[in-house]
Amino acid sequence: MKRADLLHLLAEVERGALAPEAAAARLATLPFEDLGHTRVDHHRSLRSGLPEVVFAAGKTPGQVLDIVAALARDGVEVLATRASPEHFAAVQSRYPGAVYRELGRCITLSIAAAKEPLRGHIAILCAGTSDLPVAEEAAITAETFHCRVTRLYDVGVAGLPRLLAVRERLLEADALVVCAGMEGALPSVVGGLVGVPVLAVPTSVGYGASFAGAAALLGMLNSCSPNVSVVNIDNGFGAAYSAVLIARAAHRG
Amino acid sequence: MKRADLLHLLAEVERGALAPEAAAARLATLPFEDLGHTRVDHHRSLRSGLPEVVFAAGKTPGQVLDIVAALARDGVEVLATRASPEHFAAVQSRYPGAVYRELGRCITLSIAAAKEPLRGHIAILCAGTSDLPVAEEAAITAETFHCRVTRLYDVGVAGLPRLLAVRERLLEADALVVCAGMEGALPSVVGGLVGVPVLAVPTSVGYGASFAGAAALLGMLNSCSPNVSVVNIDNGFGAAYSAVLIARAAHRG
Amino acid sequence: MKRADLLHLLAEVERGALAPEAAAARLATLPFEDLGHTRVDHHRSLRSGLPEVVFAAGKTPGQVLDIVAALARDGVEVLATRASPEHFAAVQSRYPGAVYRELGRCITLSIAAAKEPLRGHIAILCAGTSDLPVAEEAAITAETFHCRVTRLYDVGVAGLPRLLAVRERLLEADALVVCAGMEGALPSVVGGLVGVPVLAVPTSVGYGASFAGAAALLGMLNSCSPNVSVVNIDNGFGAAYSAVLIARAAHRG
Amino acid sequence: MKRADLLHLLAEVERGALAPEAAAARLATLPFEDLGHTRVDHHRSLRSGLPEVVFAAGKTPGQVLDIVAALARDGVEVLATRASPEHFAAVQSRYPGAVYRELGRCITLSIAAAKEPLRGHIAILCAGTSDLPVAEEAAITAETFHCRVTRLYDVGVAGLPRLLAVRERLLEADALVVCAGMEGALPSVVGGLVGVPVLAVPTSVGYGASFAGAAALLGMLNSCSPNVSVVNIDNGFGAAYSAVLIARAAHRG
Amino acid sequence: MKRADLLHLLAEVERGALAPEAAAARLATLPFEDLGHTRVDHHRSLRSGLPEVVFAAGKTPGQVLDIVAALARDGVEVLATRASPEHFAAVQSRYPGAVYRELGRCITLSIAAAKEPLRGHIAILCAGTSDLPVAEEAAITAETFHCRVTRLYDVGVAGLPRLLAVRERLLEADALVVCAGMEGALPSVVGGLVGVPVLAVPTSVGYGASFAGAAALLGMLNSCSPNVSVVNIDNGFGAAYSAVLIARAAHRG
Amino acid sequence: MKRADLLHLLAEVERGALAPEAAAARLATLPFEDLGHTRVDHHRSLRSGLPEVVFAAGKTPGQVLDIVAALARDGVEVLATRASPEHFAAVQSRYPGAVYRELGRCITLSIAAAKEPLRGHIAILCAGTSDLPVAEEAAITAETFHCRVTRLYDVGVAGLPRLLAVRERLLEADALVVCAGMEGALPSVVGGLVGVPVLAVPTSVGYGASFAGAAALLGMLNSCSPNVSVVNIDNGFGAAYSAVLIARAAHRG
Amino acid sequence: MKRADLLHLLAEVERGALAPEAAAARLATLPFEDLGHTRVDHHRSLRSGLPEVVFAAGKTPGQVLDIVAALARDGVEVLATRASPEHFAAVQSRYPGAVYRELGRCITLSIAAAKEPLRGHIAILCAGTSDLPVAEEAAITAETFHCRVTRLYDVGVAGLPRLLAVRERLLEADALVVCAGMEGALPSVVGGLVGVPVLAVPTSVGYGASFAGAAALLGMLNSCSPNVSVVNIDNGFGAAYSAVLIARAAHRG
Amino acid sequence: MKRADLLHLLAEVERGALAPEAAAARLATLPFEDLGHTRVDHHRSLRSGLPEVVFAAGKTPGQVLDIVAALARDGVEVLATRASPEHFAAVQSRYPGAVYRELGRCITLSIAAAKEPLRGHIAILCAGTSDLPVAEEAAITAETFHCRVTRLYDVGVAGLPRLLAVRERLLEADALVVCAGMEGALPSVVGGLVGVPVLAVPTSVGYGASFAGAAALLGMLNSCSPNVSVVNIDNGFGAAYSAVLIARAAHRG
């Protein structure tokens, strides 16, 4: 609830249009919806600029459908990440227009009223072929939030010419999402080549001493490129979310 | 070296103004300066938009002075982080105008020619009194790069009213730097209140199972607020650096 | 064996009603029952105020049935946690009145003679939908031990209004059980809002750097709210057990 | 701010005694005091039942004195934990009645107006001689908050007779604080002997594979006694804090 | 090869009965048998007093059969640990007298010529029902090597009377094997009650912060009972092996 | 691109045979091939002396086939490691001459034009039977790159005579690859017996406190034999790759 | 308290020589002495065969002196490990006959009445020169408890001939204590050469990935020699204690 | 002892020139020298091609001098690493020609008789100024063993042009030693540019989540450049040792 709303509410009390008890209830009751298992945050896009996103893993298909339905009623873009085919089947049964992006494990549901022009530009890089699911989760997230996306995949540092060949294209983006497993060195190298924020995503790609992505995570946290910040292992969504906020702000003129 | 420079160089070869051997040497020699112990990157502000910053810890006072001198010759703002009084004494001996910010452990040296107006606005929060050195490192970094800074200190989540009291001020910033030790919960709570990127800085404040900041680091990496990204433990500089890039891009109009 | 019993036994020896050898045997033999695979502790509710509870995971259905039967003979409330459908099938075959609570993975068997009025009041919170199984294990435990339970689910800190909306209800409880995965920040925030003990339960909900609940565990151990203490990851039972002891003591008048 | 206060404030707005803008300011401004480096929470004892406690480690003597002074103005019992002799010297210079408890590293300042009768009873155990500083921090905390304290020190499990000899005294307490380093087994054994909550404190006593208390911490988290909950390594204060809340509630009649 | 054999060999060379080249070959060739995938150590019982034991996990049924056959040719007691039913089927097809002990996951094959009287006495304890497979691996190992075994199961420290009831029986053994998961406290308590070596076996029983037995392992390594030494997690075989060596030496008269 | 090629290209520009724009494109475009999911590095054998190798794990059979086909077009030896039978089926469908080495999980495809004589000699050791898959991955790698291989398997340090028996054969190799799980002691012992580099490969063989190979890895990193260097857990390929480079250089005369 | 004492006590009650209340007190009071800071266990040598040993680290000189005095009154051999020169000064001030062994950091005090002949034989090995303090702690412990000690130092596995040269001497001992830092491989190699128990002591000798002895600890826990058991890092005392129990039992005839 | 020596010895026995007992003694006694605290391995350069090197850390100045003297008697090049000024003072007092290299913490003592021509060429790279001590330890080691050394310092990946500028020089070396702290990405990038083995040295340079070099270590172990192998954190000596073996073998013609 924003300050303007608060002043408006208090003004209503002042002019007798609202009883103090009712105002107290309003102040205590904020705009979310309790589905029993989940409290859906309708207020979120007011507060954060972007609508709530469903993290499907660990939820039943029925729970995911309930939340999707609650969001769809608000007329916002719906995105469910880490979704299985079972989650999609449940959503599609009620929303035939829903789309499942298998590689990135995402369900999207585009509400006609929510169409917006593209705003901002994000480049998404990954070090190897096995990082594609994480990179695609990021790409779909950014596209859902109406950003232009450039995909630059399999450009890991052990074959530097592959990266140098796309160097010019890096310079066009407002923010970069860089996904890498194993030693996780790509964000450091990329960070040194550009002047925009780099959102680094360690992936769980690797074996042995990669400890399921922990090695890449530690590498990225210790990056000597100062424009690198890091999200959780495999969290393509989170990196794209921050990148979208950055890119949109750069083009809000 | 940018594409335009490359084309220009090749054009000079074409018209015979530059021999192939000389061009090859130019292509191999990029604009850094070798001090013996250190290669100073004069090219950096062209590539990254911001000049090189000196990380003083682990360098001798003499080495820091050498690097500061090399940067000062370029006429850029000079910032040395993690600087001890000994580092400062060395710098001050040649540059009497240098300033030492003890709490944030930074040396700054402002070059007259580099004065710029403020561009962008960053809010810097910390959870407790002991986080101040990290928060100040962030604040000095942002100020050195000509950002407006709002300091909101000691607003940890165990006393929520302290945070809610400054809620309105959070909404004015282009990006937030949020420093916290112990459980590191502040970025998650703050992240849910704003619609801009949050750069989370775990601090080494705590004892026992804080494992020198690892607990806070893990907490922040697992944040359920999607607009949170994380830097290394106590890396106030890095968080501010990304925040500055974000804030400047939002006001480049 | 309590002091009174010891004095009684020694008095019997003094008046010749009990031979020293027999007394020695009694002093060495305490009231448990050896089932071969398991020693059932019939003495426990005398010593601890609450009867023994069966941890079914890692036991065969036959072993669980044996232990349930031994407890049922004592006429106490029977609770088996971490029970699979196979465990339940074995118990139900002999005790048709047994009930299986699937979400919380518990078997309960209510013995008529053991009915008691409710005593004490516990609030059980969880941060997200995926924490429900742990929260329900806690809730069923508390209900089995005759406590009133208030369930407040999906109130994680990234959407603070959801938590603030139930703030008043927190104040009515004698103790709180707070379950959270990922960054595990909820107990710190809740702990700052109430004046009763908070039993924090880290859950294994999360991925990547959550390290199967370790991140939440570390966060809770470092809580800056001093009324927070912590149990093992996913240990809803243990948190509720301590909470029941607290709540009952507060209402023993 | 409690519901009654909110209703009162809104009633003032309704009857024109308070302008909406002023009410908005009041709602945003909660009762803490900003010392610059620290926001002192005067509201805390209303919210939590116990006044704020100063964690002195990592604060300068001057900062500790400022906070002590702010609390003393409220007339509450003042306790500063992890205090050094330097911290004490600063406090004593203004408050000659302050007392320094060296073994437990605590400063206490008793305000005449705050005298209360003892309420509740806590037993504090430790496994070995080296655990005494942590146990004493707990004992001083409980005494500051007007609880009766029974100290049972050096009763570790490798010499079981020492523990069994004090078994009867365990049964008199409303809650137990049990401190142990090395393998941290004492809370499990004690937990099986009593029917009240056990607050377990791992200590950093040990060497090698104790990993500065981590071994004891893990042991306690895995306790098979269900009435055990755990606080951070060496956090005698936190354990006593929860124990005080439990003991006071049991005697609030 | 013992010194006596070496002298004998050199004497043969001296008197011309053995050519230097042949002696060199003998000195280089020691008594093991190369099966291609495995080198079977026939020399082992000379060197170690006990025959080689087969660790079946990670070997194919055919490989296990090959090794069992090689050992059986020596006429020693054959023991294969961590054996699956598939391993047993392969062994039984050639050796119908082989026995599979399912709970302890062991194959034993008793060769008539190897019968020996019992020598020494080991007590094997475990803390809970779920530790039985590890305890049984230890018991079968000791029995295979002709030790008397006393099994004392489900005597964990949270129900101390269960352990105290068997205290007298602990005093009869030459060495103890003590298996426990979760907090792993049993060896410390048992160690304080006896005057013989305690071989502690952490088990992987537990969940969450047990980290698959690491918590129990750390607890045992930090035991404050000085007669405790530790083997790998779930290594019942190894603990029994050392215990057998101890018990046999105590009765070698 | 080597210096000679660069000079040649610039010379073409100088004599007007190549336009500057075309040269710029050539300089930016290096010799890899973009398959969409993967960028195949045809340049690699020029740069590294050995052709690219396919890491099949985490790639689909179709992706592996695409990469194999791209490499086969270059006429180089093709090797795919960590390949499943499914990967092989896909490759074999187009290349009937491909061979699957099941124990070492490798696909090899020998191109007639690439036949070379053997150059260099590598000995590959492993400590136990369960280490064979890793040792074989190393052996196949070395053979694919035309090195002579001596296999010395099951020579772990607990049966030292097995190792001493093959000591002479160790001395013939140009480099050693030594694979061991559990405590990983073999490279230290072997390293002390030879005067050539030892490439140590920790394997994930073991249980409990082996932590999936981490114990062996740490042991090898701490080797007191100075000629030992280490690769990732189970990385037989990587160890053999370095060993091949060493052995070939020693015989390049 | 042994069974015989219990029967005696009960017989006294039976014949009226002891009142039940007095007997209850006796049963509750076991033979330790409470020094305030420490409970000295006079009962220990009855229960364990060896007297209590003082772990001096973390105790004040005065506390150590108090405990030494309490033990000396019993006429047992006194040993204080991890003792500093300050501890020794305090002890020597009252007991001029006390001896300080600097390398092994031990204080010993030999009481005339306690002289015993040597019983049993222990060999103590260490891998390198830096392991000497730990090895000496073990040696002094064994000598204090009247065992014959053979010291075999600097016989690490990287120079195998050094170990093989002392092989014969290993065969004479009843038990071995083997100390090693870095990769900790010595116990595995030694374990394979002998037929008696090996007590392995990881030392904190090393740097980097030795993680203060953790690498050696893990190596030893994963030993493939089955006669190896392990104690805490640097715990020479504990290893020698178990070795003494083993050696004495083997010679109790 | 090599096979030729063994045959020679046995031949002497055969012709009666050596008694069997004397031969047995010779076979058991290998060529090391026991200084009491240390067994100096005079045999080492026969076995390994390079003489023994003294690791001074953890040894007293007197011990280091003893070992240096023993080696100097053999007339080999003497190198002591991790040496303090105190170590040097002790060595210099007897060997005035000894040299102390402060930055690399090495003592060298060149014996006239041991002069050899340079053989082989190693390039030593480091990522930043703070890595110099480790890089210099490597450089001095290589020079002591008569290799040509090219130093390329401060060429970390965040400023890629610095590395690309020295690319040509990388191609001249027989092996590379690459030192880096923080994220440790340099070996991966360098490994992709050359066709010789890369010995990667993680350094303890960094803070926070570098965990004293563990992050760099993990990064290097997960390198996607297959020619990278890794040594312990800060182990410049070990990396150079392997590199020397490689470079010498490549030039042994």
Side-chain angles (χ1 to χ4, degrees), chain B residues 29-104:
Chain B
T29 317
L30 285 138
F32 55 82
E33 177 181 358
D34 193 342
L35 304 180
H37 52 78
T38 308
R39 293 171 198 248
V40 178
D41 188 352
H42 297 297
H43 199 201
R44 185 167 178 83
S45 70
L46 291 178
R47 210 169 59 231
S48 312
L50 297 174
E52 191 164 5
V53 169
V54 188
F55 183 78
K59 298 199 176 73
T60 64
Q63 289 171 334
V64 169
L65 174 58
D66 287 353
I67 306 172
V68 165
L71 293 169
R73 281 194 294 274
D74 286 354
V76 299
E77 292 287 340
V78 178
L79 170 64
T81 62
R82 306 289 169 96
S84 66
E86 290 69 32
H87 289 125
F88 178 59
V91 171
Q92 197 184 30
S93 70
R94 192 171 325 161
Y95 298 93
V99 175
Y100 187 52
R101 311 282 289 272
E102 191 173 2
L103 183 55

Side-chain angles (χ1 to χ4, degrees), chain D residues 27-107:
Chain D
L27 284 168
T29 317
L30 284 137
F32 54 81
E33 178 180 359
D34 193 342
L35 305 178
H37 52 77
T38 308
R39 293 171 197 246
V40 178
D41 188 352
H42 297 295
H43 198 202
R44 185 168 178 83
S45 69
L46 291 179
R47 210 169 59 230
S48 311
L50 296 173
E52 190 165 5
V53 169
V54 188
F55 184 77
K59 298 198 176 74
T60 65
Q63 290 172 333
V64 169
L65 175 57
D66 287 353
I67 306 172
V68 165
L71 292 169
R73 280 195 294 274
D74 285 353
V76 298
E77 292 287 341
V78 177
L79 170 63
T81 63
R82 306 290 169 95
S84 65
E86 290 70 32
H87 289 124
F88 178 59
V91 171
Q92 198 185 28
S93 69
R94 193 175 322 165
Y95 298 92
V99 175
Y100 187 52
R101 312 281 290 272
E102 190 174 1
L103 184 54
R105 293 162 301 172
C106 290
I107 300 167

Side-chain angles (χ1 to χ4, degrees), chain A residues 45-85:
Chain A
S45 70
L46 292 179
R47 209 169 59 231
S48 312
L50 297 173
E52 191 165 6
V53 169
V54 188
F55 182 77
K59 298 200 175 73
T60 64
Q63 289 171 335
V64 169
L65 174 56
D66 287 353
I67 306 172
V68 165
L71 293 169
R73 280 194 293 277
D74 286 353
V76 299
E77 293 286 342
V78 177
L79 170 65
T81 63
R82 308 289 169 95
S84 66

Side-chain angles (χ1 to χ4, degrees), chain D residues 182-183 206-210 215, chain E residues 188 217-224, chain G residues 232:
Chain D
M182 302 181 73
E183 77 270 63
Y207 62 94
S210 98
Chain E
S188 283
L217 170 62
L218 288 177
M220 292 174 183
L221 286 167
N222 284 285
S223 176
C224 41
Chain G
N232 196 359

Side-chain angles (χ1 to χ4, degrees), chain G residues 48-65:
Chain G
S48 312
L50 296 174
E52 191 164 5
V53 168
V54 188
F55 183 78
K59 297 198 177 73
T60 65
Q63 290 172 334
V64 169
L65 175 57

